[in-house]
């Protein structure tokens, strides 16, 4: 997925107060695609961390997600946006408990 140059905010709205997760260098927020009203998760990652350029690490993460896109156990990457300081990965949205519940169902069906 090549980064889209138009602003993320032209296609998506961040859902206020819907932070889904936070790590050392990224935050994940629920977002809504304006055209379809479909829910996604926006993983907003800083390209510079502790003064180091980490863009290639993010590109690697994107490549791994691309390789796993046909695996139903992995969240799908929808789009990528790039700003001067961040990369935003738009990911499939899974509601709280949805992934766990699917794993339980899949685990029972493989026994």
């Amino acid at each position: 997925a090549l980064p889209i140059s138009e602003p993320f905010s032209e296609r998506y709205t961040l859902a206020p107060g819907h932070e889904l997760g936070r790590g050392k260098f990224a935050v994940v927020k629920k977002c809504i695609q304006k055209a379809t009203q479909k829910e996604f998760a926006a993983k907003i990652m800083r390209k510079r961390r502790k003064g180091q350029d980490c863009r290639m690490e993010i590109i690697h993460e994107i490549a791994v997600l691309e390789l796993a896109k046909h695996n139903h156990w992995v969240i799908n990457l929808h789009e990528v946006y790039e700003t001067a300081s961040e990369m935003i990965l738009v990911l499939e949205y899974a509601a709280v408990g949805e992934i766990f519940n699917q794993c339980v169902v899949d685990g029972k069906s493989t026994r």
Side-chain angles (χ1 to χ4, degrees), residues 4 8 11-12 29 31 33 38-44 65 75-81 87-93:
I4 296 170
F8 170 83
R11 292 193 192 180
Y12 295 90
K29 296 182 177 185
C31 65
Q33 188 176 41
K38 189 173 178 190
E39 297 175 322
F40 288 93
K43 184 175 184 180
I44 304 162
L65 288 167
I75 293 288
N76 284 317
L77 176 64
H78 183 66
E79 293 179 324
V80 178
Y81 290 82
M87 290 191 79
I88 303 167
L89 280 56
V90 180
L91 303 160
E92 173 184 8
Y93 175 73

PDB file of all heavy atoms in Angstrom, residues 4 8 11-12 29 31 33 38-44 65 75-81 87-93:
ATOM      1  N   ILE A   4      -0.978   7.546   0.585  1.00  0.00           N
ATOM      2  CA  ILE A   4      -1.837   8.478  -0.133  1.00  0.00           C
ATOM      3  C   ILE A   4      -1.413   9.883   0.267  1.00  0.00           C
ATOM      4  O   ILE A   4      -1.251  10.178   1.454  1.00  0.00           O
ATOM      5  CB  ILE A   4      -3.312   8.210   0.211  1.00  0.00           C
ATOM      6  CG1 ILE A   4      -3.693   6.803  -0.284  1.00  0.00           C
ATOM      7  CG2 ILE A   4      -4.225   9.275  -0.379  1.00  0.00           C
ATOM      8  CD1 ILE A   4      -5.029   6.305   0.190  1.00  0.00           C
ATOM      9  N   PHE A   8      -5.405  12.890   5.298  1.00  0.00           N
ATOM     10  CA  PHE A   8      -6.247  11.880   5.951  1.00  0.00           C
ATOM     11  C   PHE A   8      -7.628  12.458   6.262  1.00  0.00           C
ATOM     12  O   PHE A   8      -8.649  11.811   6.072  1.00  0.00           O
ATOM     13  CB  PHE A   8      -5.521  11.416   7.230  1.00  0.00           C
ATOM     14  CG  PHE A   8      -6.338  10.563   8.151  1.00  0.00           C
ATOM     15  CD1 PHE A   8      -6.464   9.202   7.923  1.00  0.00           C
ATOM     16  CD2 PHE A   8      -6.963  11.114   9.264  1.00  0.00           C
ATOM     17  CE1 PHE A   8      -7.204   8.402   8.781  1.00  0.00           C
ATOM     18  CE2 PHE A   8      -7.705  10.320  10.119  1.00  0.00           C
ATOM     19  CZ  PHE A   8      -7.830   8.966   9.883  1.00  0.00           C
ATOM     20  N   ARG A  11     -10.747  12.259   3.886  1.00  0.00           N
ATOM     21  CA  ARG A  11     -11.507  11.011   3.712  1.00  0.00           C
ATOM     22  C   ARG A  11     -12.041  10.421   5.012  1.00  0.00           C
ATOM     23  O   ARG A  11     -12.938   9.583   4.987  1.00  0.00           O
ATOM     24  CB  ARG A  11     -10.645   9.951   3.030  1.00  0.00           C
ATOM     25  CG  ARG A  11     -10.318  10.278   1.599  1.00  0.00           C
ATOM     26  CD  ARG A  11      -9.747   9.059   0.924  1.00  0.00           C
ATOM     27  NE  ARG A  11      -9.163   9.387  -0.364  1.00  0.00           N
ATOM     28  CZ  ARG A  11      -8.600   8.505  -1.154  1.00  0.00           C
ATOM     29  NH1 ARG A  11      -8.536   7.249  -0.812  1.00  0.00           N
ATOM     30  NH2 ARG A  11      -8.088   8.868  -2.310  1.00  0.00           N
ATOM     31  N   TYR A  12     -11.458  10.831   6.137  1.00  0.00           N
ATOM     32  CA  TYR A  12     -11.825  10.234   7.432  1.00  0.00           C
ATOM     33  C   TYR A  12     -12.052  11.298   8.492  1.00  0.00           C
ATOM     34  O   TYR A  12     -11.460  12.364   8.456  1.00  0.00           O
ATOM     35  CB  TYR A  12     -10.709   9.296   7.926  1.00  0.00           C
ATOM     36  CG  TYR A  12     -10.512   8.102   7.040  1.00  0.00           C
ATOM     37  CD1 TYR A  12      -9.621   8.142   5.974  1.00  0.00           C
ATOM     38  CD2 TYR A  12     -11.229   6.921   7.247  1.00  0.00           C
ATOM     39  CE1 TYR A  12      -9.444   7.049   5.135  1.00  0.00           C
ATOM     40  CE2 TYR A  12     -11.055   5.822   6.416  1.00  0.00           C
ATOM     41  CZ  TYR A  12     -10.169   5.899   5.363  1.00  0.00           C
ATOM     42  OH  TYR A  12     -10.005   4.815   4.544  1.00  0.00           O
ATOM     43  N   LYS A  29      -6.705   5.187  17.030  1.00  0.00           N
ATOM     44  CA  LYS A  29      -7.993   5.824  17.275  1.00  0.00           C
ATOM     45  C   LYS A  29      -9.019   5.297  16.282  1.00  0.00           C
ATOM     46  O   LYS A  29      -8.686   4.971  15.145  1.00  0.00           O
ATOM     47  CB  LYS A  29      -7.875   7.347  17.109  1.00  0.00           C
ATOM     48  CG  LYS A  29      -6.953   7.990  18.122  1.00  0.00           C
ATOM     49  CD  LYS A  29      -6.905   9.483  17.940  1.00  0.00           C
ATOM     50  CE  LYS A  29      -6.018  10.124  19.012  1.00  0.00           C
ATOM     51  NZ  LYS A  29      -6.050  11.580  18.935  1.00  0.00           N
ATOM     52  N   CYS A  31     -11.810   5.686  13.604  1.00  0.00           N
ATOM     53  CA  CYS A  31     -12.120   6.713  12.620  1.00  0.00           C
ATOM     54  C   CYS A  31     -13.264   6.241  11.735  1.00  0.00           C
ATOM     55  O   CYS A  31     -13.542   5.048  11.655  1.00  0.00           O
ATOM     56  CB  CYS A  31     -10.891   7.101  11.804  1.00  0.00           C
ATOM     57  SG  CYS A  31     -10.218   5.786  10.770  1.00  0.00           S
ATOM     58  N   GLN A  33     -14.892   6.525   7.828  1.00  0.00           N
ATOM     59  CA  GLN A  33     -14.697   6.909   6.434  1.00  0.00           C
ATOM     60  C   GLN A  33     -15.895   7.765   6.020  1.00  0.00           C
ATOM     61  O   GLN A  33     -17.042   7.340   6.136  1.00  0.00           O
ATOM     62  CB  GLN A  33     -14.596   5.657   5.560  1.00  0.00           C
ATOM     63  CG  GLN A  33     -14.205   5.936   4.141  1.00  0.00           C
ATOM     64  CD  GLN A  33     -14.026   4.652   3.343  1.00  0.00           C
ATOM     65  OE1 GLN A  33     -14.818   3.723   3.480  1.00  0.00           O
ATOM     66  NE2 GLN A  33     -12.985   4.610   2.547  1.00  0.00           N
ATOM     67  N   LYS A  38     -18.227   3.883   7.223  1.00  0.00           N
ATOM     68  CA  LYS A  38     -17.669   2.638   7.754  1.00  0.00           C
ATOM     69  C   LYS A  38     -16.614   2.953   8.813  1.00  0.00           C
ATOM     70  O   LYS A  38     -15.850   3.912   8.681  1.00  0.00           O
ATOM     71  CB  LYS A  38     -17.058   1.819   6.615  1.00  0.00           C
ATOM     72  CG  LYS A  38     -16.656   0.429   7.026  1.00  0.00           C
ATOM     73  CD  LYS A  38     -16.212  -0.423   5.856  1.00  0.00           C
ATOM     74  CE  LYS A  38     -15.773  -1.781   6.370  1.00  0.00           C
ATOM     75  NZ  LYS A  38     -15.117  -2.582   5.368  1.00  0.00           N
ATOM     76  N   GLU A  39     -16.559   2.123   9.855  1.00  0.00           N
ATOM     77  CA  GLU A  39     -15.597   2.307  10.938  1.00  0.00           C
ATOM     78  C   GLU A  39     -14.271   1.636  10.606  1.00  0.00           C
ATOM     79  O   GLU A  39     -14.243   0.520  10.078  1.00  0.00           O
ATOM     80  CB  GLU A  39     -16.141   1.702  12.236  1.00  0.00           C
ATOM     81  CG  GLU A  39     -17.399   2.368  12.736  1.00  0.00           C
ATOM     82  CD  GLU A  39     -17.976   1.659  13.945  1.00  0.00           C
ATOM     83  OE1 GLU A  39     -17.929   0.402  13.998  1.00  0.00           O
ATOM     84  OE2 GLU A  39     -18.488   2.347  14.832  1.00  0.00           O
ATOM     85  N   PHE A  40     -13.180   2.329  10.929  1.00  0.00           N
ATOM     86  CA  PHE A  40     -11.831   1.803  10.784  1.00  0.00           C
ATOM     87  C   PHE A  40     -11.034   2.187  12.026  1.00  0.00           C
ATOM     88  O   PHE A  40     -11.497   2.966  12.857  1.00  0.00           O
ATOM     89  CB  PHE A  40     -11.140   2.395   9.536  1.00  0.00           C
ATOM     90  CG  PHE A  40     -11.678   1.867   8.237  1.00  0.00           C
ATOM     91  CD1 PHE A  40     -12.693   2.529   7.566  1.00  0.00           C
ATOM     92  CD2 PHE A  40     -11.173   0.697   7.687  1.00  0.00           C
ATOM     93  CE1 PHE A  40     -13.199   2.044   6.370  1.00  0.00           C
ATOM     94  CE2 PHE A  40     -11.671   0.202   6.486  1.00  0.00           C
ATOM     95  CZ  PHE A  40     -12.684   0.877   5.832  1.00  0.00           C
ATOM     96  N   ALA A  41      -9.832   1.644  12.135  1.00  0.00           N
ATOM     97  CA  ALA A  41      -8.896   2.031  13.189  1.00  0.00           C
ATOM     98  C   ALA A  41      -7.723   2.744  12.526  1.00  0.00           C
ATOM     99  O   ALA A  41      -7.145   2.221  11.571  1.00  0.00           O
ATOM    100  CB  ALA A  41      -8.410   0.804  13.952  1.00  0.00           C
ATOM    101  N   ALA A  42      -7.387   3.930  13.009  1.00  0.00           N
ATOM    102  CA  ALA A  42      -6.260   4.695  12.469  1.00  0.00           C
ATOM    103  C   ALA A  42      -5.081   4.558  13.428  1.00  0.00           C
ATOM    104  O   ALA A  42      -5.151   4.999  14.570  1.00  0.00           O
ATOM    105  CB  ALA A  42      -6.642   6.165  12.304  1.00  0.00           C
ATOM    106  N   LYS A  43      -4.013   3.930  12.957  1.00  0.00           N
ATOM    107  CA  LYS A  43      -2.789   3.805  13.755  1.00  0.00           C
ATOM    108  C   LYS A  43      -1.868   4.941  13.327  1.00  0.00           C
ATOM    109  O   LYS A  43      -1.345   4.949  12.214  1.00  0.00           O
ATOM    110  CB  LYS A  43      -2.115   2.446  13.532  1.00  0.00           C
ATOM    111  CG  LYS A  43      -0.894   2.242  14.414  1.00  0.00           C
ATOM    112  CD  LYS A  43      -0.334   0.837  14.259  1.00  0.00           C
ATOM    113  CE  LYS A  43       0.818   0.589  15.209  1.00  0.00           C
ATOM    114  NZ  LYS A  43       1.354  -0.778  15.053  1.00  0.00           N
ATOM    115  N   ILE A  44      -1.699   5.907  14.206  1.00  0.00           N
ATOM    116  CA  ILE A  44      -0.934   7.115  13.908  1.00  0.00           C
ATOM    117  C   ILE A  44       0.459   6.945  14.512  1.00  0.00           C
ATOM    118  O   ILE A  44       0.614   6.849  15.723  1.00  0.00           O
ATOM    119  CB  ILE A  44      -1.654   8.354  14.471  1.00  0.00           C
ATOM    120  CG1 ILE A  44      -3.087   8.414  13.909  1.00  0.00           C
ATOM    121  CG2 ILE A  44      -0.868   9.623  14.166  1.00  0.00           C
ATOM    122  CD1 ILE A  44      -4.030   9.297  14.680  1.00  0.00           C
ATOM    123  N   LEU A  65       1.988  -6.480   6.933  1.00  0.00           N
ATOM    124  CA  LEU A  65       0.527  -6.487   6.854  1.00  0.00           C
ATOM    125  C   LEU A  65       0.053  -6.848   5.442  1.00  0.00           C
ATOM    126  O   LEU A  65      -0.929  -7.573   5.285  1.00  0.00           O
ATOM    127  CB  LEU A  65      -0.043  -5.136   7.274  1.00  0.00           C
ATOM    128  CG  LEU A  65       0.042  -4.829   8.777  1.00  0.00           C
ATOM    129  CD1 LEU A  65      -0.259  -3.368   9.048  1.00  0.00           C
ATOM    130  CD2 LEU A  65      -0.903  -5.733   9.560  1.00  0.00           C
ATOM    131  N   ILE A  75      -5.489  -8.463  11.232  1.00  0.00           N
ATOM    132  CA  ILE A  75      -6.273  -7.268  10.883  1.00  0.00           C
ATOM    133  C   ILE A  75      -5.803  -6.763   9.519  1.00  0.00           C
ATOM    134  O   ILE A  75      -4.604  -6.669   9.266  1.00  0.00           O
ATOM    135  CB  ILE A  75      -6.061  -6.170  11.964  1.00  0.00           C
ATOM    136  CG1 ILE A  75      -6.673  -6.584  13.302  1.00  0.00           C
ATOM    137  CG2 ILE A  75      -6.590  -4.833  11.503  1.00  0.00           C
ATOM    138  CD1 ILE A  75      -8.169  -6.572  13.358  1.00  0.00           C
ATOM    139  N   ASN A  76      -6.737  -6.428   8.642  1.00  0.00           N
ATOM    140  CA  ASN A  76      -6.397  -5.972   7.295  1.00  0.00           C
ATOM    141  C   ASN A  76      -6.007  -4.500   7.253  1.00  0.00           C
ATOM    142  O   ASN A  76      -6.625  -3.671   7.913  1.00  0.00           O
ATOM    143  CB  ASN A  76      -7.577  -6.191   6.339  1.00  0.00           C
ATOM    144  CG  ASN A  76      -7.732  -7.638   5.937  1.00  0.00           C
ATOM    145  OD1 ASN A  76      -6.753  -8.303   5.642  1.00  0.00           O
ATOM    146  ND2 ASN A  76      -8.955  -8.128   5.929  1.00  0.00           N
ATOM    147  N   LEU A  77      -4.998  -4.215   6.447  1.00  0.00           N
ATOM    148  CA  LEU A  77      -4.574  -2.843   6.180  1.00  0.00           C
ATOM    149  C   LEU A  77      -5.427  -2.317   5.033  1.00  0.00           C
ATOM    150  O   LEU A  77      -5.491  -2.934   3.969  1.00  0.00           O
ATOM    151  CB  LEU A  77      -3.089  -2.816   5.796  1.00  0.00           C
ATOM    152  CG  LEU A  77      -2.514  -1.463   5.391  1.00  0.00           C
ATOM    153  CD1 LEU A  77      -2.558  -0.476   6.547  1.00  0.00           C
ATOM    154  CD2 LEU A  77      -1.090  -1.637   4.888  1.00  0.00           C
ATOM    155  N   HIS A  78      -6.075  -1.178   5.245  1.00  0.00           N
ATOM    156  CA  HIS A  78      -6.973  -0.601   4.235  1.00  0.00           C
ATOM    157  C   HIS A  78      -6.259   0.453   3.392  1.00  0.00           C
ATOM    158  O   HIS A  78      -6.253   0.372   2.171  1.00  0.00           O
ATOM    159  CB  HIS A  78      -8.202  -0.013   4.928  1.00  0.00           C
ATOM    160  CG  HIS A  78      -9.229   0.545   4.008  1.00  0.00           C
ATOM    161  ND1 HIS A  78      -9.954  -0.237   3.141  1.00  0.00           N
ATOM    162  CD2 HIS A  78      -9.644   1.813   3.820  1.00  0.00           C
ATOM    163  CE1 HIS A  78     -10.774   0.529   2.457  1.00  0.00           C
ATOM    164  NE2 HIS A  78     -10.610   1.777   2.840  1.00  0.00           N
ATOM    165  N   GLU A  79      -5.645   1.434   4.049  1.00  0.00           N
ATOM    166  CA  GLU A  79      -4.938   2.518   3.356  1.00  0.00           C
ATOM    167  C   GLU A  79      -3.820   3.044   4.238  1.00  0.00           C
ATOM    168  O   GLU A  79      -3.811   2.798   5.442  1.00  0.00           O
ATOM    169  CB  GLU A  79      -5.887   3.688   3.038  1.00  0.00           C
ATOM    170  CG  GLU A  79      -6.953   3.380   2.039  1.00  0.00           C
ATOM    171  CD  GLU A  79      -7.891   4.547   1.779  1.00  0.00           C
ATOM    172  OE1 GLU A  79      -8.201   5.313   2.707  1.00  0.00           O
ATOM    173  OE2 GLU A  79      -8.312   4.684   0.626  1.00  0.00           O
ATOM    174  N   VAL A  80      -2.893   3.792   3.613  1.00  0.00           N
ATOM    175  CA  VAL A  80      -1.789   4.427   4.340  1.00  0.00           C
ATOM    176  C   VAL A  80      -1.717   5.892   3.928  1.00  0.00           C
ATOM    177  O   VAL A  80      -1.792   6.208   2.739  1.00  0.00           O
ATOM    178  CB  VAL A  80      -0.437   3.736   4.031  1.00  0.00           C
ATOM    179  CG1 VAL A  80       0.706   4.441   4.752  1.00  0.00           C
ATOM    180  CG2 VAL A  80      -0.478   2.265   4.413  1.00  0.00           C
ATOM    181  N   TYR A  81      -1.557   6.760   4.906  1.00  0.00           N
ATOM    182  CA  TYR A  81      -1.394   8.198   4.664  1.00  0.00           C
ATOM    183  C   TYR A  81      -0.069   8.633   5.261  1.00  0.00           C
ATOM    184  O   TYR A  81       0.364   8.093   6.282  1.00  0.00           O
ATOM    185  CB  TYR A  81      -2.541   8.997   5.311  1.00  0.00           C
ATOM    186  CG  TYR A  81      -3.856   8.787   4.614  1.00  0.00           C
ATOM    187  CD1 TYR A  81      -4.638   7.673   4.888  1.00  0.00           C
ATOM    188  CD2 TYR A  81      -4.295   9.679   3.649  1.00  0.00           C
ATOM    189  CE1 TYR A  81      -5.830   7.451   4.229  1.00  0.00           C
ATOM    190  CE2 TYR A  81      -5.493   9.471   2.984  1.00  0.00           C
ATOM    191  CZ  TYR A  81      -6.253   8.355   3.279  1.00  0.00           C
ATOM    192  OH  TYR A  81      -7.425   8.141   2.618  1.00  0.00           O
ATOM    193  N   MET A  87       2.989   8.721   9.881  1.00  0.00           N
ATOM    194  CA  MET A  87       2.349   7.833   8.912  1.00  0.00           C
ATOM    195  C   MET A  87       1.106   7.301   9.608  1.00  0.00           C
ATOM    196  O   MET A  87       1.143   6.970  10.797  1.00  0.00           O
ATOM    197  CB  MET A  87       3.265   6.705   8.465  1.00  0.00           C
ATOM    198  CG  MET A  87       4.393   7.235   7.588  1.00  0.00           C
ATOM    199  SD  MET A  87       5.345   5.977   6.744  1.00  0.00           S
ATOM    200  CE  MET A  87       4.301   5.551   5.393  1.00  0.00           C
ATOM    201  N   ILE A  88       0.001   7.265   8.866  1.00  0.00           N
ATOM    202  CA  ILE A  88      -1.270   6.809   9.419  1.00  0.00           C
ATOM    203  C   ILE A  88      -1.687   5.549   8.670  1.00  0.00           C
ATOM    204  O   ILE A  88      -1.893   5.579   7.460  1.00  0.00           O
ATOM    205  CB  ILE A  88      -2.352   7.892   9.291  1.00  0.00           C
ATOM    206  CG1 ILE A  88      -1.897   9.184   9.986  1.00  0.00           C
ATOM    207  CG2 ILE A  88      -3.681   7.395   9.874  1.00  0.00           C
ATOM    208  CD1 ILE A  88      -2.740  10.396   9.666  1.00  0.00           C
ATOM    209  N   LEU A  89      -1.759   4.446   9.405  1.00  0.00           N
ATOM    210  CA  LEU A  89      -2.204   3.186   8.836  1.00  0.00           C
ATOM    211  C   LEU A  89      -3.691   3.040   9.145  1.00  0.00           C
ATOM    212  O   LEU A  89      -4.082   3.063  10.320  1.00  0.00           O
ATOM    213  CB  LEU A  89      -1.443   2.008   9.442  1.00  0.00           C
ATOM    214  CG  LEU A  89      -0.037   1.716   8.908  1.00  0.00           C
ATOM    215  CD1 LEU A  89       0.891   2.896   9.007  1.00  0.00           C
ATOM    216  CD2 LEU A  89       0.542   0.509   9.579  1.00  0.00           C
ATOM    217  N   VAL A  90      -4.518   2.971   8.119  1.00  0.00           N
ATOM    218  CA  VAL A  90      -5.957   2.777   8.298  1.00  0.00           C
ATOM    219  C   VAL A  90      -6.198   1.273   8.249  1.00  0.00           C
ATOM    220  O   VAL A  90      -5.956   0.617   7.237  1.00  0.00           O
ATOM    221  CB  VAL A  90      -6.772   3.521   7.216  1.00  0.00           C
ATOM    222  CG1 VAL A  90      -8.267   3.291   7.436  1.00  0.00           C
ATOM    223  CG2 VAL A  90      -6.443   5.009   7.227  1.00  0.00           C
ATOM    224  N   LEU A  91      -6.643   0.738   9.376  1.00  0.00           N
ATOM    225  CA  LEU A  91      -6.787  -0.702   9.560  1.00  0.00           C
ATOM    226  C   LEU A  91      -8.244  -1.091   9.751  1.00  0.00           C
ATOM    227  O   LEU A  91      -9.068  -0.270  10.193  1.00  0.00           O
ATOM    228  CB  LEU A  91      -5.988  -1.141  10.795  1.00  0.00           C
ATOM    229  CG  LEU A  91      -4.499  -0.802  10.791  1.00  0.00           C
ATOM    230  CD1 LEU A  91      -3.934  -0.834  12.200  1.00  0.00           C
ATOM    231  CD2 LEU A  91      -3.763  -1.764   9.894  1.00  0.00           C
ATOM    232  N   GLU A  92      -8.531  -2.335   9.461  1.00  0.00           N
ATOM    233  CA  GLU A  92      -9.845  -2.902   9.735  1.00  0.00           C
ATOM    234  C   GLU A  92     -10.169  -2.665  11.206  1.00  0.00           C
ATOM    235  O   GLU A  92      -9.303  -2.800  12.070  1.00  0.00           O
ATOM    236  CB  GLU A  92      -9.750  -4.399   9.417  1.00  0.00           C
ATOM    237  CG  GLU A  92     -10.920  -5.240   9.759  1.00  0.00           C
ATOM    238  CD  GLU A  92     -10.639  -6.712   9.484  1.00  0.00           C
ATOM    239  OE1 GLU A  92      -9.498  -7.102   9.178  1.00  0.00           O
ATOM    240  OE2 GLU A  92     -11.589  -7.482   9.587  1.00  0.00           O
ATOM    241  N   TYR A  93     -11.399  -2.315  11.498  1.00  0.00           N
ATOM    242  CA  TYR A  93     -11.816  -2.066  12.878  1.00  0.00           C
ATOM    243  C   TYR A  93     -12.441  -3.330  13.459  1.00  0.00           C
ATOM    244  O   TYR A  93     -13.316  -3.942  12.851  1.00  0.00           O
ATOM    245  CB  TYR A  93     -12.827  -0.917  12.928  1.00  0.00           C
ATOM    246  CG  TYR A  93     -13.397  -0.669  14.300  1.00  0.00           C
ATOM    247  CD1 TYR A  93     -12.620  -0.083  15.286  1.00  0.00           C
ATOM    248  CD2 TYR A  93     -14.701  -1.020  14.613  1.00  0.00           C
ATOM    249  CE1 TYR A  93     -13.130   0.149  16.558  1.00  0.00           C
ATOM    250  CE2 TYR A  93     -15.220  -0.793  15.876  1.00  0.00           C
ATOM    251  CZ  TYR A  93     -14.435  -0.211  16.843  1.00  0.00           C
ATOM    252  OH  TYR A  93     -14.940   0.013  18.096  1.00  0.00           O
TER     253      TYR A  93
END
